[in-house]
Amino acid sequence: MDVRNSRGRRYDEPPHPYRNDYARDRDRVVHSRAFRRLEAKTQVFTTRYSDHFRNRLTHTLEVAQIARTVAGALNLNTDLAEALALVHDIGHPPFGHAGEHRLDALMRPYGSRFDHNLHALHIVESFEQRYLAFPGLNLTFEVREGIVKHSHDYSKAEYPELSEYLLDLRPPLESQLIDLVDEIAYNTADLDDGVEAGLITIEQILAGVPLLNNFYREIEAKHPVARRQLLFNEALKRTLDYFATDLIENTLRNIKNSGVQSVDDVRAYAFTAAKPASAGVTPSGILFSTGPNVVLPEAAPPEPMRLAAFSREPALASRELKRFLFANLYNDPSIVEDRDRGVTALDELFRYYMDHPDAMPAFYAAEASAPAEAGGRAAHLVVCDYVAGMTDQFLLRTHRELIGS
């Protein structure tokens, strides 16, 4: 994506003398309060295990590093890819996806919903207040579009408010990469942190993740007296490299085979294939077999295929790795205990603020009580914004102060 062909910003601004628009977007994200708050939002592990584990901010930085590398190898716009990677998780509420699901459930009785991608768009469009000349961060169209479309497609019929983001077209390749490099980052990092936490062992991983086991045995044969942890670290590094390299090579193949010549071609490219009963689809849309134990409906609708994708074997390996993590790490009782405690506190605090809106800071309380013509909004929307913006520990501390342990 050539920045000179950007569709621009919602509010016109003069060009910067030495930074292009995507670089400015990247910098605006980094300087936002919502980005800084990611440092205190859980990725998988809370700080009770160690100060060394990934949080949502360090995870985001790892995603950005991989995204920039992959985009550079594909001769794409690295500034755009980096900006998208840095902003992709900015809409996450406290306690990760569990917190997101609970907030969504809390919003449904009011006829609303919560989706972290759409909340990220709300943050950069209006919620973040840093600039005198405009609300939000005034990011370029391509970054805002990527926030919406990097991980899946939204229906125009179901989300008419997003119609400006070309929902019937695919996003540029820089955006298509983000969900895949996110997957690379968390799959490998969660294995690393799981071993560090003592919740899974290297032996378990070698027995349950054939791809990593193969790398480990190759390295062990060459370094038979090396420390086990260092052998594991090297195998983990090779696993990450395996996925990143395949993403680069397979995307290049797809670009060549598709015949696309421009960003408009990429947007319009949407080869579809009906899913057979024994097929699955990765988040990027690539088809692969899920084996005899997973049966999808015979009449599953066609899925749009994206050009940025893993090839078949790495897609299967990634799926296998995820299954291992869900079976052996994400549902570990100690992690579930922390997660459930946080989600329960989120639920109770949301309900408390709905009953006591004046307990929120003055700005939010006034917005929740003012009429629409005076800048007010429905109380559930204001409460959702306030709670979603909290860090994990701030939410727990506020819950203790207002409701009790």
Side-chain angles (χ1 to χ4, degrees), residues 120-160:
L121 183 67
H122 170 56
I123 288 171
V124 304
E125 284 277 66
S126 59
F127 186 69
E128 186 86 18
Q129 299 286 328
R130 288 189 57 83
Y131 300 99
L132 185 62
F134 45 76
L137 303 183
N138 198 30
L139 303 181
T140 58
F141 174 87
E142 291 74 30
V143 173
R144 289 181 284 122
E145 177 195 25
I147 290 171
V148 174
K149 293 161 66 174
H150 72 272
S151 58
H152 65 275
D153 298 321
Y154 289 87
S155 159
K156 285 195 297 185
E158 190 175 0
Y159 294 89

Side-chain angles (χ1 to χ4, degrees), residues 381-394:
L381 298 175
V382 178
V383 171
C384 182
D385 280 355
Y386 183 48
V387 171
M390 293 180 173
T391 62
D392 295 12
Q393 290 304 313
F394 180 80

Side-chain angles (χ1 to χ4, degrees), residues 5 12 88 134-135 138-139 165 177 179 203 224-225 229 268 291 300 327 330 337-338 352 362 382:
N5 296 327
D12 289 337
H88 87 282
F134 45 76
N138 198 30
L139 303 181
Y165 294 111
L177 293 175
D179 196 52
E203 290 75 16
V225 297
Q229 182 63 50
Y330 298 151
E337 178 189 348
D338 278 354
Y352 181 88
V382 178

Side-chain angles (χ1 to χ4, degrees), residues 62-332:
E62 292 181 353
V63 174
Q65 174 263 316
I66 301 170
R68 192 172 183 95
T69 298
V70 172
L74 291 169
N75 199 30
L76 302 177
N77 192 307
T78 54
D79 287 331
L80 176 56
E82 187 175 25
L84 288 166
L86 290 170
V87 79
H88 87 282
D89 265 357
I90 208 169
H92 265 292
F95 309 109
H97 289 287
E100 177 178 8
H101 297 326
R102 184 57 60 90
L103 264 181
D104 184 56
L106 288 164
M107 295 291 279
R108 293 285 175 161
Y110 301 97
S112 298
R113 51 192 156 197
F114 184 86
D115 175 311
H116 82 269
N117 288 338
L118 303 188
H119 188 63
L121 183 67
H122 170 56
I123 288 171
V124 304
E125 284 277 66
S126 59
F127 186 69
E128 186 86 18
Q129 299 286 328
R130 288 189 57 83
Y131 300 99
L132 185 62
F134 45 76
L137 303 183
N138 198 30
L139 303 181
T140 58
F141 174 87
E142 291 74 30
V143 173
R144 289 181 284 122
E145 177 195 25
I147 290 171
V148 174
K149 293 161 66 174
H150 72 272
S151 58
H152 65 275
D153 298 321
Y154 289 87
S155 159
K156 285 195 297 185
E158 190 175 0
Y159 294 89
E161 70 275 16
L162 300 176
S163 59
E164 69 175 293
Y165 294 111
L166 312 175
L167 298 185
D168 54 340
L169 300 176
R170 309 285 73 71
L173 287 167
E174 290 87 351
S175 180
Q176 294 186 29
L177 293 175
I178 299 305
D179 196 52
L180 295 159
V181 296
D182 185 30
E183 186 175 321
I184 293 170
Y186 67 68
N187 274 347
T188 51
D190 292 350
L191 290 175
D192 189 23
D193 285 349
V195 170
E196 178 76 15
L199 297 180
I200 51 176
T201 65
I202 293 174
E203 290 75 16
Q204 279 180 283
I205 295 171
L206 298 181
V209 185
L211 175 66
L212 195 141
N213 180 64
N214 291 339
F215 289 134
Y216 186 95
R217 299 308 175 193
E218 289 175 9
I219 300 160
E220 185 181 43
K222 294 179 180 178
H223 305 277
V225 297
R227 283 173 47 205
R228 194 164 180 78
Q229 182 63 50
L230 295 180
L231 294 172
F232 173 70
N233 291 350
E234 181 67 23
L236 203 58
K237 184 184 78 172
R238 293 195 188 183
T239 301
L240 190 157
D241 184 71
Y242 167 81
F243 286 120
T245 300
D246 178 78
L247 176 57
I248 293 165
E249 293 176 348
N250 192 61
T251 300
L252 283 172
R253 280 193 297 271
N254 288 346
I255 292 169
K256 180 180 179 181
N257 293 338
S258 69
V260 298
Q261 298 293 322
S262 66
V263 174
D264 287 342
D265 290 345
V266 170
R267 288 186 179 281
Y269 182 83
F271 169 76
T272 58
K275 292 184 292 185
S278 60
V281 182
T282 67
S284 60
I286 186 171
L287 291 170
F288 61 90
S289 170
T290 57
N293 296 323
V294 179
V295 179
L296 298 176
E298 291 286 348
E303 289 281 348
M305 307 286 279
R306 295 187 172 195
L307 291 167
F310 295 126
S311 60
R312 184 179 185 279
E313 290 305 318
L316 288 168
S318 180
R319 186 179 181 90
E320 194 167 33
L321 206 166
K322 285 181 186 177
R323 283 176 172 163
F324 174 86
L325 287 167
F326 273 99
N328 296 281
L329 182 62
Y330 298 151
N331 292 318
D332 183 274

Side-chain angles (χ1 to χ4, degrees), residues 318-363:
S318 180
R319 186 179 181 90
E320 194 167 33
L321 206 166
K322 285 181 186 177
R323 283 176 172 163
F324 174 86
L325 287 167
F326 273 99
N328 296 281
L329 182 62
Y330 298 151
N331 292 318
D332 183 274
S334 59
I335 291 179
V336 172
E337 178 189 348
D338 278 354
R339 186 167 64 223
D340 288 351
R341 177 171 61 101
V343 168
T344 298
L346 183 153
D347 185 294
E348 293 177 354
L349 194 60
F350 182 98
R351 297 177 190 277
Y352 181 88
Y353 283 135
M354 287 301 298
D355 292 336
H356 307 89
D358 289 344
M360 292 187 292
F363 171 82

Side-chain angles (χ1 to χ4, degrees), residues 341 344-345 348 396-405:
R341 177 171 61 101
T344 298
E348 293 177 354
L396 292 173
R397 184 168 67 250
T398 303
H399 180 271
R400 285 195 300 270
E401 291 171 355
L402 295 178
I403 301 173
S405 61

